[in-house]
Amino acid sequence: MVLSRLTIEPRVASQSLAEGGRILIADVAFPTAAVRSAAARHWADRRWANRWDKNEHYMAADETVHACQQIGLKIAYRQVSRCAGIFIVNR
C-alpha cells in the first residue's frame, strides 16, 4: 500500500491546523479519479509519455475531499487548469 497525500495531508491538517486556520494546496490535480485515469491514458498514448510520472500520486478532488470530510475537515476544491487545482482546507 502506498502512503499518499490522500492519507497524509488530511491527517497532518487535522493534527496541525488551528481552529479558524487554513491550508492551501496547489498541485497537479484532477476533479475526479476517472478524469485522472483518462489523463494517464492520454499521456501514455503520446510521444511525451515520459512526462507522466507513474510513481507519482496525482490527486483527485473527489478522493481528497472525501478523505478530509471523514476526519471533520472542511475542504473546497477549484480546478484552475486542465491538470492543476487548489484545495482549501479549513478547520
Side-chain angles (χ1 to χ4, degrees):
M1 179 178 173
V2 175
L3 284 178
S4 67
R5 291 182 221 173
L6 181 60
T7 58
I8 295 169
E9 287 176 352
R11 191 171 12 146
V12 169
S14 69
Q15 295 170 359
S16 303
L17 188 57
E19 194 65 40
R22 178 181 291 174
I23 295 174
L24 301 175
I25 303 166
D27 203 352
V28 175
F30 300 91
T32 66
V35 172
R36 179 184 59 209
S37 294
R41 286 190 305 274
H42 172 81
W43 281 97
D45 293 339
R46 303 285 186 245
R47 63 183 170 138
W48 307 286
N50 63 339
R51 293 186 182 173
W52 184 273
D53 186 348
K54 293 177 184 174
N55 297 315
E56 176 70 26
H57 176 77
Y58 298 110
M59 291 191 290
D62 58 349
E63 297 170 339
T64 305
V65 167
H66 178 75
C68 287
Q69 289 173 339
Q70 291 297 307
I71 57 173
L73 293 172
K74 297 173 187 164
I75 183 169
Y77 178 74
R78 180 172 176 220
Q79 193 75 34
V80 295
S81 77
R82 206 171 178 184
C83 59
I86 300 172
F87 293 90
I88 304 166
V89 183
N90 295 289
R91 184 146 212 199

